[in-house]
Amino acid sequence: MTLTIVGSQLGDEGKGGIVDVYGSGADVVVRYQGGDNAGHTVVQDGQEYKLSLIPSGAVRGNVGVLGNGCVVNPRTLFDEISTLRERGLDPDVRVAERAHVILPYHRILDGIEEERKAEEDLSAGTTGRGIGPTYEDRAGRRGVRIGDLLDPGTLRARLEYAVPQKRALLEDVYGVPVEDHDDVDADAFDVDALHAEFSEYGERLAREGMPVNCGAFLAERRAAGDRLVFEGAQGTAIDLDHGIYPYVTSSNPTAGAAAVGTGLGPGVIGDGEVLGIVKAYLSRVGTGPLPTELGRVDGQTPAGGGRPDASDVAEYVREEGGEYGTVTGRPRRVGWLDVPMLRHAARASGFTGVAVNHIDVLAGLDQVKVGHAYELDGEELETMPTTTERWADCEATFRTFDGWPDVDWGAVAASGYDAIPENARAYLAYIAEEVGAPIYAVGVGPGREQTIVVEELL
Ligand code: IMP
């Protein structure tokens, strides 16, 4: 039995909480794409753990695997493992030998390219973790893989090929001289320094028995009857192929990538459950279109975008949902649920069920709207257009639901689905109908206990 978990919107759907709930019934939790650009919080025995790379299941005693589709920064990996150990846990983490390694120069180049793009209003607002440059090197066949760290000769050969190119890119294309630039760590462009640091990571990985042939490892565990969860990071609308290109991440959060990114066949993923995670409204950091946006955030909402006449609703949702940047404290953009985005996500991944989070945040509003469709050039569209520029031209057409009261959500969670206020259940039934998949779980608060499980999957 397998369960693949996919974000259906812009990446902040609350996947971590759902992985946590279903992961407790799993033996192995596998990430199949992305790297330390993800962020999830796991609460275990009253303690909060913030992770960006290690699969959240590792906190709960599952085996956590970083699949070959991931990009792995060994510094982050060992930092997270050390933090967990200091707090008394003993995480069992395996890393695919075919996964690519994020090197220090990837992070530096990610930052510099974003700065340059910002000058042209093109920045994707990346997390600065070097994700894009590492995937570029993977596709360009000049990457370094986890398996290469285990073999000092191969590692040196890979670095000797790649590093001069990176240095030339920095100095000759971006005009940033390595040695006399304050923000640039010169060791990041030095083969010997990189070799010393990263071959040591290789030794440590080997010593701790972490490297695996991911597909073979998982196939064996599956044959032994283990239950596997494939944990997608980010979301469909920022998928490299199916998202709002070029404002996307450089991997595929959609379910197809769970096969490529683990080394198991698509039949394995398709035979299991594919659970789409939906946030009951939208939130977004950064610029770019958002057809169902409420209010506007200066500096982020494009000129003429948003709905200034609905800024009180925007404020309400932002406050109730805590929609402020965790680092910057800046308000996030918020919007009504975008149903064409959900239909697109459900098709791209083949959802067999959905989990809807944060319906408690919308409680207390008189009316709750959804962007049911778009109007584009006088035609009605039920799904997202293929280009971001055309998406910007879409006018959302809305449906209105009666609001639901703010109730004791802890008590609701303890009682189960039928205790959810009737109007909220009508909203959930509408979502299920539109995406063509039943509701498997509903999040009514941030904690694990506040997720109502309708369908036990594992
Ligand atoms: P990158 O993945 O760091 O290259 O960033 C590319 C885009 O994806 C940016 O718009 C990021 O804000 C967004 N992004 C990356 N990871 C996440 C995530 O876990 N949640 C939400 N957005 C993300």
Side-chain angles (χ1 to χ4, degrees):
M1 170 63 196
T2 70
L3 166 62
T4 303
I5 291 182
V6 179
S8 57
Q9 294 148 323
L10 291 148
D12 292 317
E13 302 89 355
K15 291 177 297 295
I18 301 293
V19 171
D20 199 22
V21 167
Y22 284 111
S24 61
D27 301 290
V28 185
V29 179
V30 193
R31 281 195 55 186
Y32 54 86
Q33 43 74 231
D36 55 349
N37 50 346
H40 37 257
T41 306
V42 184
V43 181
Q44 164 95 330
D45 297 333
Q47 292 233 41
E48 198 175 84
Y49 300 91
K50 285 196 181 299
L51 300 171
S52 60
L53 180 61
I54 296 184
S56 41
V59 173
R60 304 241 179 258
N62 307 133
V63 179
V65 180
L66 294 169
N68 54 274
C70 293
V71 286
V72 178
N73 186 331
R75 290 181 179 172
T76 311
L77 176 68
F78 288 120
D79 276 355
E80 290 190 355
I81 290 177
S82 301
T83 306
L84 295 180
R85 284 192 180 145
E86 276 160 24
R87 295 173 67 178
L89 299 178
D90 184 22
D92 184 351
V93 180
R94 314 297 173 97
V95 186
E97 290 178 17
R98 290 187 167 95
H100 278 250
V101 177
I102 300 179
L103 287 140
Y105 51 75
H106 291 125
R107 284 181 77 132
I108 293 170
L109 292 166
D110 190 359
I112 288 177
E113 180 157 13
E114 277 289 286
E115 272 172 30
R116 291 303 150 92
K117 280 187 158 178
E119 291 163 14
E120 322 249 332
D121 239 5
L122 281 173
S123 65
T126 73
T127 59
R129 302 289 163 92
I131 306 295
T134 307
Y135 279 117
E136 271 179 51
D137 280 354
R138 176 175 88 153
R141 296 162 297 194
R142 67 183 88 84
V144 173
R145 304 201 297 180
I146 290 290
D148 302 332
L149 303 185
L150 310 175
D151 175 356
T154 305
L155 176 61
R156 182 164 288 279
R158 299 268 191 268
L159 291 171
E160 277 175 355
Y161 180 75
V163 173
Q165 282 193 21
K166 300 299 158 189
R167 183 181 272 266
L169 181 59
L170 186 78
E171 297 193 321
D172 303 339
V173 177
Y174 292 120
V176 177
V178 172
E179 261 79 24
D180 50 66
H181 195 281
D182 289 346
D183 296 336
V184 175
D185 169 11
D187 280 355
F189 294 85
D190 182 290
V191 171
D192 289 336
L194 290 170
H195 189 268
E197 180 181 350
F198 282 78
S199 53
E200 207 174 302
Y201 290 135
E203 282 169 26
R204 185 162 172 199
L205 285 163
R207 206 167 48 242
E208 303 209 11
M210 292 166 73
V212 287
N213 175 342
C214 186
F217 175 78
L218 295 176
E220 225 171 79
R221 301 293 301 233
R222 211 173 143 250
D226 276 3
R227 291 152 301 175
L228 312 183
V229 169
F230 303 108
E231 174 181 359
Q234 292 86 46
T236 306
I238 55 170
D239 180 288
L240 179 59
D241 290 277
H242 303 290
I244 48 175
Y245 194 90
Y247 308 99
V248 292
T249 192
S250 298
S251 67
N252 297 111
T254 39
V260 179
T262 60
L264 294 171
V268 174
I269 312 301
D271 276 349
E273 298 279 358
V274 179
L275 177 60
I277 315 301
V278 175
K279 184 167 174 167
Y281 58 95
L282 287 188
S283 63
R284 177 164 191 190
V285 181
T287 55
L290 197 62
T292 61
E293 183 161 11
L294 287 161
R296 52 175 291 114
V297 175
D298 287 338
Q300 296 187 52
T301 305
R307 287 183 180 72
D309 57 335
S311 51
D312 51 338
V313 185
E315 206 48 45
Y316 185 86
V317 172
R318 196 174 287 126
E319 287 300 320
E320 294 295 312
E323 296 294 351
Y324 292 90
T326 33
V327 180
T328 58
R330 281 192 316 171
R332 296 193 186 125
R333 297 165 66 192
V334 294
W336 295 124
L337 191 68
D338 186 317
V339 181
M341 186 187 282
L342 295 187
R343 294 188 193 102
H344 171 67
R347 180 189 33 74
S349 286
F351 292 162
T352 58
V354 288
V356 182
N357 279 323
H358 302 308
I359 60 160
D360 53 307
V361 170
L362 300 179
L365 290 167
D366 291 337
Q367 292 183 325
V368 174
K369 295 191 184 190
V370 296
H372 176 79
Y374 304 137
E375 217 177 81
L376 184 65
D377 301 337
E379 300 218 353
E380 189 180 73
L381 277 192
E382 290 233 312
T383 188
M384 291 175 82
T386 49
T387 72
T388 307
E389 292 68 27
R390 292 298 276 159
W391 194 45
D393 294 336
C394 288
E395 283 285 336
T397 52
F398 290 96
R399 285 203 181 169
T400 304
F401 290 78
D402 289 333
W404 47 90
D406 202 7
V407 294
D408 177 350
W409 293 102
V412 167
S415 305
Y417 189 83
D418 291 340
I420 295 172
E422 193 182 347
N423 291 345
R425 276 185 281 131
Y427 187 74
L428 293 167
Y430 163 81
I431 294 172
E433 172 76 22
E434 294 304 318
V435 300
I439 304 283
Y440 280 175
V442 183
V444 297
R448 187 183 201 211
E449 299 72 27
Q450 287 146 314
T451 299
I452 298 169
V453 175
V454 180
E455 204 64 51
E456 294 281 354
L457 297 175
L458 293 170

